[in-house]
């Protein structure tokens, strides 16, 4: 049985939905799977087996703030991941090492195993140089360093898994990868598991919802300011704003809601997962993507695009490149990139229940027509086939390789 090691630094599994879906898809395809990830209060076990997948977790003692904070966080993570990778290799072995950024430094953990003829797959979750520019509103030496780390990660990877087509273009241009070595796997939820659930809470108002991380670049302040503007507008029905998630900006966002006089309207649930998470999303009458336009947000495919659509939640968003490409006319877009523009788009849906139903149907149809997790599984497995092919020194196209494997079987 072939085996792989997946390393992710952002979230523990199974809370990281993308990584967990990839891990279970590989397990179902006959791979032995080991995952290295951080430990958290909700996932404290350092060594465990979940649904046949071995999980090693390491401590992450601090959350990065500023350039020095990032260096300390990632330095600690790299140390623990190096130790755990050696433990996994000694105990179980692996044919493929699959690294998920950020940071673009995990190739350092993988290099010893690449030297031992193990294939290296880079799962390109985030564009770190653009993320830095978005968060700190500058470039400078750190931005240059991030570009170097990104380039080295592309250089050492045998295969790249891109989170969307924009990322795939970056892999072949900025990263210099051959198109045959780059595969797109979107973070689409498995609709067999990601479904509406009954909600028991009383509904006496329209629920405007947000789900996601709350960082400086995520624009949740735009939503809160839009809520404050709508509360002053005549003709808007009673509504509440449910904000699901966690992140470094959460205390500041709660303070902002209070200062704008909408603390009673905005409800912050904190981080949710599993059934409570689905129940919260199922209660949304409108799902908001408040991320502002910048070099980062314009290029990323946000999980909430797929999550809102899968549950038939009408979407309000800014006009961002990837968001528009994915949703098309299935979303209501703000007329400009301000919180007043977001309030305008929200207000239209708040005042018109029939229009909300129309956009809900469009979103659900978009999910059913375009957002299929089984298609992403096929691309994931093709990427693994290609990685093993590259390791063995063959240079067939993915189509040729699949034909060869079929003939052999």
């Amino acid at each position: 049985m072939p085996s792989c090691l997946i390393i992710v630094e952002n979230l523990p599994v199974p809370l990281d939905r993308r990584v967990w879906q990839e891990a279970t898809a590989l397990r179902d395809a006959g791979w032995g799977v080991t995952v290295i990830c951080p430990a958290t209060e909700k996932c404290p076990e350092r060594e465990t087996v979940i649904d046949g997948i071995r999980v090693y977790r390491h401590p992450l003692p601090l959350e990065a703030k500023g350039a020095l904070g990032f260096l300390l966080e990632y330095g600690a993570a790299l140390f623990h991941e190096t130790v755990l990778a050696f433990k996994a290799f000694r105990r179980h072995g692996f044919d493929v090492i699959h690294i998920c950024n950020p940071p673009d430094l995990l190739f350092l953990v993988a290099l010893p195993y690449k030297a031992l003829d193990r294939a290296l797959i880079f799962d390109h979750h985030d564009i770190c140089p653009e993320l830095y520019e978005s968060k700190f509103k500058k470039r400078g030496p750190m931005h240059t360093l991030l570009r170097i780390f990104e380039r080295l990660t592309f250089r050492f990877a045998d295969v790249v898994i891109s989170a969307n087509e924009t990322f795939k273009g970056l892999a072949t241009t900025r990263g210099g990868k051959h198109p045959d070595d780059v595969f797109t796997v979107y973070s689409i939820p498995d609709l067999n598991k990601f479904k509406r659930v009954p909600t028991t809470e009383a509904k006496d108002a329209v629920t405007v919802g947000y789900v996601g991380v709350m960082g400086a670049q995520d624009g949740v302040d735009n939503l809160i300011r839009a809520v404050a503007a709508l509360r002053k507008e005549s003709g808007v029905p009673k509504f509440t704003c449910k904000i699901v998630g966690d992140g470094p900006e959460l205390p500041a966002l709660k303070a902002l809601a209070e200062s704008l006089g909408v603390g009673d309207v905005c409800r912050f649930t904190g981080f949710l997962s599993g059934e409570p998470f689905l129940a919260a999303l199922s209660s949304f009458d409108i799902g908001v993507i408040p991320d502002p336009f910048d070099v980062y947000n314009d290029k990323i495919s946000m999980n909430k695009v797929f999550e809102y659509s899968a549950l038939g939640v009408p979407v309000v968003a800014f006009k961002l490149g990837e968001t528009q490409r994915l949703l098309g006319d299935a979303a209501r877009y703000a007329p400009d990139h301000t919180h007043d523009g977001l309030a305008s788009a929200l207000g239209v849906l708040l005042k018109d229940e029939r229009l909300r139903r129309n956009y809900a149907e469009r979103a659900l149809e978009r999910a059913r027509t375009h957002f299929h997790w089984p298609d992403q599984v096929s691309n994931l497995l093709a990427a693994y086939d290609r990685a093993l092919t590259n390791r063995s020194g063959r240079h067939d196209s993915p189509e040729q390789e699949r034909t060869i494997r079929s003939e052999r079987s």
Side-chain angles (χ1 to χ4, degrees), residues 286-299:
I286 303 171
V288 183
I289 302 175
D291 306 64
F293 177 87
D294 61 28
V295 295
Y296 175 73
N297 290 331
D298 195 50
K299 294 181 175 67

Side-chain angles (χ1 to χ4, degrees), residues 127-140 142-143 146-147 174 217 294-296 299:
I127 40 176
C128 293
E130 283 84 353
L131 177 58
Y132 178 86
E133 186 176 350
S134 173
K135 293 183 77 166
F136 299 107
K137 311 303 179 188
K138 64 179 181 179
R139 289 192 171 187
M142 180 59 71
H143 183 274
L146 289 172
R147 287 291 296 267
R174 200 155 88 186
Q217 75 281 1
D294 61 28
V295 295
Y296 175 73
K299 294 181 175 67

Side-chain angles (χ1 to χ4, degrees), residues 30-246:
W31 284 75
V33 183
T34 304
V35 180
I36 293 173
C37 61
T40 65
E41 289 183 5
K42 294 181 175 62
C43 299
E45 301 90 350
R46 294 300 176 85
E47 293 186 22
T48 186
V49 177
I50 306 173
D51 297 339
I53 296 170
R54 294 178 291 265
V55 179
Y56 292 93
R57 299 193 181 110
H58 61 80
L60 202 58
L62 57 85
E63 187 167 0
K65 291 184 179 179
L68 180 59
F70 279 107
L71 290 174
L72 291 173
E73 176 187 337
Y74 292 148
L78 287 172
F79 169 78
H80 292 296
E81 288 155 1
T82 298
V83 171
L84 291 177
F86 177 74
K87 180 182 289 188
F89 185 71
R90 180 170 53 85
R91 289 183 177 180
H92 320 293
F94 46 80
D95 303 289
V96 174
I97 184 165
H98 175 156
I99 58 174
C100 309
N101 81 327
D104 288 330
L105 291 169
L106 298 182
F107 71 90
L108 295 171
V109 180
L111 283 181
Y113 306 100
K114 188 172 173 64
L116 294 173
D117 202 30
R118 269 51 180 183
L120 172 58
I121 293 178
F122 171 38
D123 199 339
H124 194 190
H125 289 193
D126 250 327
I127 40 176
C128 293
E130 283 84 353
L131 177 58
Y132 178 86
E133 186 176 350
S134 173
K135 293 183 77 166
F136 299 107
K137 311 303 179 188
K138 64 179 181 179
R139 289 192 171 187
M142 180 59 71
H143 183 274
T144 301
L145 197 59
L146 289 172
R147 287 291 296 267
I148 292 170
F149 292 152
E150 180 189 71
R151 178 72 183 184
L152 288 171
T153 302
F154 281 130
R155 168 68 182 81
F156 287 114
D158 296 295
V159 162
V160 174
I161 295 175
S162 298
N164 62 37
E165 290 297 316
T166 299
F167 284 24
K168 182 175 182 178
L170 293 175
T172 57
T173 54
R174 200 155 88 186
K177 303 304 292 184
H178 192 282
D180 285 348
D181 294 329
V182 185
F183 298 79
T184 303
V185 176
Y186 283 93
S187 299
I188 295 172
D190 184 348
L191 297 185
N192 292 320
K193 302 173 183 176
F194 197 91
K195 299 178 180 180
R196 278 188 171 272
V197 299
T199 175
T200 57
E201 64 181 61
K203 291 275 287 188
D204 61 348
V206 179
T207 301
V208 174
Y210 168 87
V211 60
V213 178
M214 297 179 207
Q217 75 281 1
D218 296 301
V220 185
D221 60 310
N222 287 323
L223 174 57
I224 294 172
R225 295 181 193 280
V227 166
L230 285 166
R231 200 172 192 193
K232 298 173 184 176
E233 187 177 318
S234 62
V236 176
K238 183 179 179 182
F239 71 95
T240 60
C241 182
K242 185 180 293 185
I243 300 174
V244 179
D246 201 351

Side-chain angles (χ1 to χ4, degrees), residues 359-371:
Y359 273 101
E361 291 168 2
R362 293 189 202 181
L364 192 57
E365 180 62 23
R366 195 77 176 179
R368 289 171 175 168
T369 305
H370 297 286
F371 304 154

